[in-house]
Each structure stands twice: as C-alpha cells, then as structure tokens.
Amino acid sequence: MKFLISTSFPSFHAVTNASTYVQFCDSGSDLSIPLTSPETVDVWICNGEEAHQIPKSMLVEDASIIPRLQEYAKGRVVEIAGFPEEENATIQWEELILRDAEMLYSRARANTGVQRFDVTKDHDRKTTVLLVGAGIMNLMTAELLAAHGYQVRVVDAGPDPRSCKDWTRLGVTNGGGNARMFTHTEADNCNERGSKIYQNMQPIFRRTVRDGGWSVKPPKDFTAAELAWVNAFEQIPAWLARTFKENIYEVNRESGNLWKEYIKTYPQLFEGVGLCEDILRMYVEPVALDAAVKLNRQLGAIIQATSTEEFLSANPGFRPAAASNHLSGGITVEGFTVNIHLFVAKLIDRITSLGGEFVWDCKVEGFQRNSQGEVTKLESQLGNLEANHFVVSPGVTGNALLNGTACENLIQGVLGIWLQIPNLHPQTQNSIKIHRRGHRVEDINVTVVKDAETGEDILIFGGGYGYVGLDRPPPDSPELAALFDELEQVARIYFPQGYAAAKERDTMYPGGKRKFCVRPFTPTGLGVFERIHTASGGHLIITGGNNTGGFTQAPAVARAVLRALLGEHDPIHVLFHPDRGKLPATTTTNTTRTSQSQFPEPPSSSPSPQSYLRYRLDQAFPGYRCIVETTSGQVRQLVAKRRMVDACYMKYHGLRRRLAGHDQQRRAYFDRLTPADHTSPPPDLTVDSLNNSAVWSAVERWQPQLTIVSGTKYIGRKLMARSGLMLNLHIGHLPEYKGNHCIFFALLRRTWMDGGDVLGRVVPPVLPGDSEETLYARCCHMAIDRCVAHFVPQRAAGRTYRHRDRTPAKELGLWWKLRVGGLLKDYRPAGKPLE
C-alpha cells in the first residue's frame, strides 16, 4: 500500500510520522517520477490541479475538479473521491483524509476482478462447497451455507474432535480449553502507540516473555518469514492502527447482533453447553478502568458501571484482591461464554442433519491452478478434491497452504494457555475478563462452566500472548513455563480458595497436561478475507487469522462468505482484505538463514524471474543450495575467450533492456507474484562461471538429487556428472528454438507457439497488447510454476540462437511487423477461442 501526497498541508507530516506507506511530493515538481516509479502509487492525495498522471485511486481536495478528472482518466482510475468534511471533533482532519485514502485503496483491492465471478443466486443442492478446516469459523460458515441449500463438505487434517482424546492432534478450537467468550472488544489489535494505556506496543514481539515481551520463541531463532511478520507488525502507523481497531469493533458489533439472532433462532444448540450471559470486566489500574468505561459506552456495551465500593459490595469475594492493589474496580458488559467443545459437537450434528459431510484425517496440501491463476482443484492426502466453491480457513498449522496467495505469511501463531480450578463458595455467577497491564499474562478470561467429565462447577482460565511464529513451542520452553506460572498467580490472587483446592487435588491441569492453543494472528490484528477465481467460475475464499476473535467474529465471517457466493456486498470483503496494511512492494527485510538442503539453483543476472524462482523454491525445498553466475562474470568469460563480438552484444542487450524499460517492466510483473516481505537467503556461491573447481567441489559435497538451471551459460560435463537430475528452465519452444531471445526469433519468423498440456512444456496465452517482454515474463512465470513437478527431455533438433544473432536490423524488422504488420492482432486459428 503506497500513498502519494502532493497537497500543501504541512500538518500531514506530523500525522504520518515518517510512515513507510506515505511519500510526499511538491505539487509543482515533476510528478511523473513518483507516479511511474516501480513503487506503484495506490492512492494519490492531491489538490486536483496537478493531476496529469493517472494512479489507481485519487483523493482530491477540490471536489469540483472530479468530473474533469474522471473524463481525463477514461475509466483508468478505480475511484476518485473528495476530501472528507471537517466535522469529526475527535479525529484530526488530516487523519480522516488518510483513513479515506486507505479505504479507497482497500475497496480497489477487494473489488478487483469481482465482476468475473459467475454468480448463481438460484443454486440447488448440487451446488457444492468444500470447506478446509473444522474450526469454529468454518463450522459456522458450513451451518449457514447448508441452511441456505448448499451441499457442504468439511475436510480437516485432524481427527473427529467428538471422540479424540489427544488434544495435541486438534486445532485451536478443540485443542485448547473448553471455553470461549464473546465481548464487543475481542480481537483488539495490538499495534498501539500514544494511547493512555499503551505508549508503544511496536517492539513487543522482539522481547521474550521473561524479558517483558510477548515472544515465547527467542527472537534470535526467528526465520526470515517470522522476522518479516514482526517487521510488518511494527510498521503499522498509529493512525492506521486506530483505523483497524475501529474496524474490528465494527465487525464485533455486527457479529454480536448475529449471535443474538442465532441464540434466539436455534436455542437447542445452546442448551447444555454452559451458556453464561453478561461479562464482568475487572481492572488493576484506575486509568485502564476509566478507559474501558469510556470505550464500552461508545460501543453501547455497558450494562452496569458502578463505583469500586459498589462493585466490591456486589462481588465481596474480590475484596482481598482489591486490598492487595490487584483490583481497582470493574464493570458489567454485554457478552456470553460457552463450553466450546460441547457447542462444536452440537454444531457438527446440526450440519450433518442438514446434509453436510465431514472428512477427518485428511490434510489438504495445495491448490492446483491453470495458466490464468484460477484454482481448478485442491490436492489432499486422499487425492484431488473438487467443488463449485472452496472456503479455506487453515489456521496456523495450514499456513503453507496459503503460499502464492495474498494471505501468504500473514497468519502466524500467538499461543494462549489454560488451567482450571473449582468454583467454590461464594460461587462466581458471571464469566470474567481481567486486565493486568504490564504483566506476563495481561488479559485473562475466566469462564464459568461445568466440568464435562465430572459435572463439577469450575472456572476455566485462559490467557497469555506468546508469539511462536510458524512453530509450536518445545515442551521444556522456559518462556511457556513462565506464562503458566503467571496464570497460576492470577488464579491464586483472585480465587485463593479455588486455587488452593486445585493444588491439593492436583486438578489444575486435567490429565496432568498443560494445554495451550496456537491462535492465528495477523500483523494488523484484522482477519483475512480473500477471493480467488476458480476455473469453473466459482470462488475460493480464504478466511481466518482473527487474533483472539475467531469465536466472536464467526457469524459475521460466515455471512460474508454467503454474500460472496450470492454476489452481494459485505463490509468484511473490504475490511478484512489481506492487502490492508501491507508494506509497499519495495520494502525489504534484511534477514539471512543457513541453507542446508541438497537442491542447487544457479540463477542468472536477470533479477526478477530468478527472484520468483527462488521464492517458489523457498516454499517447495526450504534449505536448498544456490549458485549465482553473474552477468558481469559471463561477459568476463567471453572476453577471456576472445569472443569480443558476443561480449559486446551481451552489453548491448543489457543496455537496450534498461533504456527501453524492459527490466522495470519485468521486475514489476514478478514483484506482484512475490510477497513484499519475502526475502530469500543469500546464495551459497557467486561465480563468473559454473565450470570451475570451486563449483565442482561444492556440488560434489552437496550431492544434490535435483539441479534446476535458469539463465546460465554453457554447463560442462564435470558439473552435469555431479548434479543429479538436471532440469533446465528454457524460455522458448523446444526443440525449434534454443539459446537466447527465443521469443524474439519466434515472433520474427512468424512461428506460432501452439500446443497442449505436454509434460514439461507450458504454452502462454497471447493476449491483446502483448509484446516480446510480456510474453517472456508470462513464459517465465508459467515455467517456474511447472518445474517443481514436471520436466521433458530435449531432442537434438532446431537451431541455437546467440546474442550476436539478434542485431538492430532484425529488431527493426520485428518492430515493423508488430506495429505495422499486425503480427499479434489475431494469432488464433479461425474459430479457436482464447484459452
């Protein structure tokens, strides 16, 4: 996300506070540079008169200019809007403008390509929806879809939670404590800066739990992906964090209305599941209590707010906590809790009664896509899975499933911990949320329930923020032990009798197991909602990542899925779009890691295709080996061999690509395929030529099973003998076109590249407006995607083209054929549709 600001208001600088998302430019300067640079401008905030270039969206101070700008843009701008009115007394006007700009960006991202979906409102029982993941969010979605006539099938990597006794095999919904809570402020994002409660939360994941932070995993052990996630969290500016928090409250408020309707419509689902309404919120510090009263009044969630003495009179069991300065007071707010395991069991039974199916112990491993990026089917341990629509909510354990989507690397794990004690006299009647700023466990839910095994009245404690990234913590983690010790202290302070009884009976951890659940977090605190086209005209929808609010927001997300399938709008489609809060594409994170696997990849000097190849290999073969043969080294090798003409032509083509903007065009193509926060490890070797003793020795030591070659010069027999199976990525139709510039010569000689799904060969669609460069980029993209699974041997035929063969005269000839001769205007045989 990138904003360009060219208005004359100096106060913008103070509000944005050197934000990575914002670039300032004088309205009187040459604006073509920032608007056409590789850092794509998503929203231009301007006065209006200086608008001579066209970005994606525009926010204009002078609204009277909008009709003229719309006429000038000729449909190339997604949306042009005027500045907001200066009427909000609680928010600076400049911040309101930035918020409007961010929403312009979000709408543009969420609505891109939506019109392509094949919407069928009059669906029947044959309209199938496959849901991946059986957590509370997908179960609520499956129930809503089944109730509206869809044929639903839920696939989960774990066992049936109704019969499984091993909590470590279950997901976040069923693997943690048997309690969940709804309040209007669940899933509160944590990117705060400058508030009365938290001055700066940005570095919270850089410190371990015992060092005053929220990380269970030592920061020195963070992977590149985890460092990128933490960096994205830290880069959210204060104004954007406030926006996200209000968005979360908006979703929670709507979800609360849906929960009320659900409880009223299906009371049988809430019988015998420990439904307990109205929540006590308790605070250690007066400043936190005052802020909570103000916030919950704004949200319309307050049921009762009294003085500290009145609160303690109504809840005398907490007087010892107040006397020891562990309680300053509390309020009663709207909300409820349930025994989540019992509720889930009833929900599964209801879905089954509506005709839904469940497939347990079936891990979905990836998506299959065609050359247009449309999903054709899902790959699983039990074979390919097909449906009209897919809904994927994989949690943290299924993070790899999101590779190649906008949600990639957005969802990582922050664990919560659980314990239970008996609910002794005087029994607590309401479930409770306790806030203790600055403690190792800051927010604790205390849920009033009955023990599912014994029927005893108990209190289940759940809390803690323990960042684990993409891993699970080791059993002997000292940071995890510190969290459990802190949660026990909370139980001892506020419920001393119950705590003592649990200690004496040794029932604090049922079965002697210290349970935790790994909750899916995003850097923004927002959930995700991504729509991807399927080849059949349907949707693949990705949901999840809702912080601590998966249960709270489940009904609202379910409705958003239904509305997407019906072609209707839902605010979540925009509010939870995964591109919200993403760093600009050119932002990088300086990280390294050690490669240890046995998969060499020698990329060439052309940075973008090889960067995308390395990104894909990072996912498929983590730890692979990498050798880089540099362009300058290739030129030096030619000079050393006295091949001066070839060396000069290599330099010429490098200069030609740079001056013609082809390097920038290629980089832009592959930048959109590679996440902005992805960083590949450094290469193991950087050489002038692959044919030398250092490379031979290294490859012999690595003993690779597979070698992938892209963009290198001649590879000698000594290297081939040591490289295992060698796969060469060649951009040209083999065997007719070998060597370099194969697309150029295919166009020059009017040889059409046609064919089908031959093993190891990709055939790019040729689209109106294509050029040699766009065809090259599309070929690279498709070839890289295909190379992981397929290859084809090359037969000895055709001609090998060299750099010296592409002369300026031949380039002029091809230019004439393209511009005057209409070479690419109609490439298809008569009657053949565009594939």
Side-chain angles (χ1 to χ4, degrees):
M1 181 176 70
K2 192 76 174 180
F3 298 164
L4 175 66
I5 298 180
S6 63
T7 65
S8 55
F9 298 111
S11 50
F12 267 118
H13 289 271
V15 175
T16 56
N17 193 25
S19 171
T20 311
Y21 300 91
V22 174
Q23 177 181 354
F24 288 94
C25 187
D26 184 358
S27 60
S29 64
D30 183 4
L31 292 167
S32 64
I33 297 175
L35 286 170
T36 59
S37 71
E39 297 184 51
T40 304
V41 172
D42 292 293
V43 182
W44 184 6
I45 303 174
C46 61
N47 297 318
E49 290 292 348
E50 71 270 38
H52 304 297
Q53 300 284 337
I54 301 299
K56 295 178 182 178
S57 301
M58 298 176 67
L59 197 61
V60 182
E61 179 190 3
D62 187 352
S64 65
I65 300 178
I66 291 179
R68 178 154 53 92
L69 291 174
Q70 289 172 333
E71 182 180 355
Y72 173 70
K74 299 185 184 303
R76 291 173 291 169
V77 177
V78 176
E79 187 173 353
I80 303 176
F83 279 16
E85 298 291 334
E86 295 186 74
E87 294 180 354
N88 194 317
T90 61
I91 303 175
Q92 280 184 266
W93 186 49
E94 290 80 4
E95 181 171 327
L96 284 175
I97 295 172
L98 290 171
R99 290 187 178 200
D100 277 15
E102 195 274 334
M103 194 49 58
L104 279 178
Y105 161 82
S106 302
R107 285 200 296 267
R109 304 296 288 180
N111 295 328
T112 299
V114 170
Q115 65 275 12
R116 287 178 52 202
F117 288 115
D118 181 16
V119 178
T120 306
K121 293 194 176 186
D122 298 327
H123 60 273
D124 55 27
R125 298 298 295 184
K126 295 180 181 179
T127 305
T128 56
V129 182
L130 180 75
L131 298 99
V132 179
I136 184 60
M137 190 164 292
N138 255 8
L139 290 177
M140 292 294 289
T141 301
E143 191 279 334
L144 183 64
L145 295 179
H148 280 77
Y150 289 90
Q151 180 64 49
V152 302
R153 188 182 187 197
V154 182
V155 177
D156 193 87
D160 188 337
R162 295 170 295 181
S163 56
C164 178
K165 302 300 181 183
D166 182 1
W167 69 275
T168 62
R169 297 184 61 201
L170 300 171
V172 62
T173 297
N174 293 288
N178 189 14
R180 287 297 184 276
M181 177 180 289
F182 168 87
T183 68
H184 287 268
T185 58
E186 297 300 310
D188 200 352
N189 67 331
C190 308
N191 315 80
E192 289 192 62
R193 255 191 288 184
S195 72
K196 290 183 178 180
I197 309 300
Y198 294 105
Q199 287 300 309
N200 187 5
M201 292 287 287
Q202 253 69 9
I204 199 71
F205 293 116
R206 300 277 183 178
R207 300 193 301 269
T208 61
V209 169
R210 292 182 299 162
D211 196 30
W214 282 5
S215 188
V216 165
K217 187 172 188 176
K220 65 181 178 62
D221 295 336
F222 287 173
T223 65
E226 290 163 347
L227 280 169
W229 189 96
V230 172
N231 182 59
F233 173 86
E234 293 171 344
Q235 292 297 317
I236 303 295
W239 66 268
L240 192 54
R242 289 190 289 269
T243 303
F244 291 162
K245 180 172 291 192
E246 291 179 11
N247 295 156
I248 291 168
Y249 295 156
E250 179 183 343
V251 173
N252 290 353
R253 182 168 55 250
E254 188 59 29
S255 202
N257 294 332
L258 294 173
W259 273 120
K260 290 177 182 178
E261 182 181 336
Y262 204 72
I263 293 171
K264 181 179 179 180
T265 305
Y266 304 109
Q268 67 276 13
L269 286 177
F270 294 87
E271 294 173 358
V273 299
L275 176 64
C276 182
E277 299 186 271
D278 299 342
I279 306 297
L280 290 183
R281 302 194 68 126
M282 304 190 338
Y283 299 86
V284 173
E285 300 173 296
V287 63
L289 174 61
D290 294 342
V293 171
K294 181 179 178 181
L295 173 61
N296 281 276
R297 285 198 193 281
Q298 290 174 349
L299 299 176
I302 285 279
I303 293 176
Q304 188 177 43
T306 61
S307 67
T308 300
E309 182 55 39
E310 289 173 323
F311 179 83
L312 293 175
S313 296
N315 302 276
F318 296 123
R319 283 193 179 277
S324 58
N325 294 322
H326 289 289
L327 180 64
S328 64
I331 57 178
T332 306
V333 300
E334 285 187 353
F336 67 92
T337 55
V338 295
N339 288 64
I340 189 64
H341 300 166
L342 300 178
F343 180 71
V344 160
K346 285 201 168 192
L347 202 52
I348 292 173
D349 291 342
R350 170 164 168 78
I351 294 167
T352 304
S353 71
L354 292 170
E357 302 176 37
F358 286 86
V359 180
W360 306 106
D361 296 307
C362 177
K363 182 179 180 180
V364 176
E365 299 170 324
F367 308 152
Q368 288 188 14
R369 301 194 191 216
N370 59 22
S371 62
Q372 301 299 314
E374 299 166 333
V375 175
T376 56
K377 60 189 69 175
L378 271 56
E379 301 167 330
S380 81
Q381 292 174 324
L382 302 181
N384 292 333
L385 305 172
E386 299 184 9
N388 297 111
H389 306 286
F390 304 96
V391 181
V392 179
S393 187
V396 179
T397 56
N399 187 287
L401 188 60
L402 305 182
N403 291 343
T405 70
C407 294
E408 178 173 347
N409 203 39
L410 282 185
I411 298 176
Q412 296 194 12
V414 178
L415 63 78
I417 57 174
W418 305 86
L419 63 79
Q420 67 181 50
I421 64 174
N423 188 3
L424 301 181
H425 182 79
Q427 283 194 340
T428 299
Q429 301 300 316
N430 295 89
S431 295
I432 302 168
K433 186 181 285 287
I434 304 172
H435 178 73
R436 305 170 77 237
R437 180 177 64 160
H439 291 75
R440 288 175 177 171
V441 181
E442 294 206 6
D443 293 293
I444 305 97
N445 291 353
V446 183
T447 305
V448 176
V449 296
K450 286 187 178 293
D451 190 293
E453 301 291 334
T454 66
E456 179 187 18
D457 291 319
I458 61 172
L459 300 174
I460 295 181
F461 287 67
Y465 299 98
Y467 177 73
V468 293
L470 298 174
D471 294 328
R472 291 175 72 88
D476 59 349
S477 166
E479 310 300 333
L480 183 59
L483 283 176
F484 277 109
D485 290 344
E486 181 76 11
L487 193 61
E488 287 193 27
Q489 285 289 349
V490 173
R492 182 187 62 79
I493 291 169
Y494 296 94
F495 301 92
Q497 291 179 317
Y499 171 79
K503 273 290 193 182
E504 182 180 350
R505 302 176 193 172
D506 195 22
T507 58
M508 194 171 300
Y509 305 105
K513 304 294 184 181
R514 287 186 163 188
K515 283 187 176 182
F516 61 83
C517 61
V518 180
R519 301 171 298 207
F521 267 51
T522 64
T524 61
L526 302 169
V528 298
F529 195 98
E530 180 179 359
R531 290 180 283 182
I532 300 173
H533 300 285
T534 66
S536 62
H539 299 69
L540 185 146
I541 297 174
I542 300 172
T543 65
N546 297 73
N547 196 321
T548 54
F551 176 79
T552 288
Q553 297 173 353
V557 172
R559 187 179 66 178
V561 171
L562 175 63
R563 285 177 169 174
L565 300 189
L566 295 175
E568 300 173 358
H569 171 71
D570 189 279
I572 283 179
H573 299 167
V574 174
L575 298 181
F576 282 2
H577 192 276
D579 282 349
R580 293 192 75 194
K582 276 194 175 181
L583 296 175
T586 55
T587 300
T588 58
T589 304
N590 296 320
T591 59
T592 60
R593 66 178 173 85
T594 303
S595 301
Q596 297 181 355
S597 194
Q598 309 276 321
F599 300 94
E601 175 232 356
S604 76
S605 62
S606 182
S608 297
Q610 278 68 35
S611 296
Y612 177 63
L613 173 59
R614 297 202 64 195
Y615 157 65
R616 292 303 305 270
L617 292 177
D618 284 337
Q619 315 305 317
F621 305 124
Y624 66 92
R625 299 289 185 174
C626 174
I627 306 173
V628 171
E629 184 181 75
T630 64
T631 301
S632 58
Q634 291 174 347
V635 172
R636 284 192 292 269
Q637 289 293 307
L638 291 173
V639 172
K641 295 175 181 179
R642 299 185 182 280
R643 294 171 57 184
M644 299 302 181
V645 175
D646 290 309
C648 289
Y649 264 103
M650 271 201 74
K651 298 291 286 185
Y652 158 73
H653 289 304
L655 181 63
R656 173 186 56 79
R657 285 195 306 269
R658 187 163 59 253
L659 293 178
H662 292 164
D663 281 345
Q664 180 177 324
Q665 186 177 357
R666 191 176 301 179
R667 189 175 296 109
Y669 181 93
F670 287 99
D671 277 350
R672 69 179 178 83
L673 299 174
T674 307
D677 51 12
H678 178 80
T679 303
S680 291
D684 296 272
L685 289 175
T686 301
V687 296
D688 284 0
S689 170
L690 295 175
N691 301 297
N692 66 62
S693 58
V695 173
W696 300 333
S697 298
V699 175
E700 188 167 8
R701 186 171 62 254
W702 297 335
Q703 296 184 350
Q705 299 170 334
L706 172 68
T707 299
I708 300 174
V709 179
S710 174
T712 65
K713 291 296 184 184
Y714 170 77
I715 297 176
R717 292 186 178 182
K718 288 186 178 181
L719 179 56
M720 287 193 288
R722 294 165 168 81
S723 297
L725 182 64
M726 184 172 283
L727 187 71
N728 179 33
L729 294 183
H730 175 73
I731 308 305
H733 198 276
L734 293 173
E736 292 81 6
Y737 293 90
K738 305 175 186 176
N740 302 299
H741 311 289
C742 295
I743 292 178
F744 171 86
F745 285 106
L747 293 172
L748 180 68
R749 305 190 187 289
R750 299 183 67 91
T751 301
W752 301 115
M753 293 174 285
D754 200 2
D757 250 348
V758 179
L759 182 65
R761 178 181 295 165
V762 295
V763 181
V766 183
L767 307 175
D770 264 337
S771 64
E772 176 202 354
E773 183 57 37
T774 59
L775 286 171
Y776 176 88
R778 196 174 301 125
C779 284
C780 285
H781 177 194
M782 295 173 64
I784 289 169
D785 286 347
R786 180 70 65 87
C787 82
V788 175
H790 300 297
F791 68 95
V792 62
Q794 177 183 344
R795 67 181 188 270
R799 177 180 173 185
T800 299
Y801 291 97
R802 301 169 296 174
H803 284 297
R804 62 164 62 184
D805 295 322
R806 178 171 175 165
T807 63
K810 291 175 182 175
E811 290 173 348
L812 181 61
L814 178 58
W815 177 87
W816 182 266
K817 292 177 182 179
L818 287 170
R819 300 298 183 188
V820 180
L823 180 60
L824 288 178
K825 285 189 176 179
D826 190 4
Y827 73 100
R828 293 167 290 162
K832 184 175 180 180
L834 178 65
E835 296 179 354

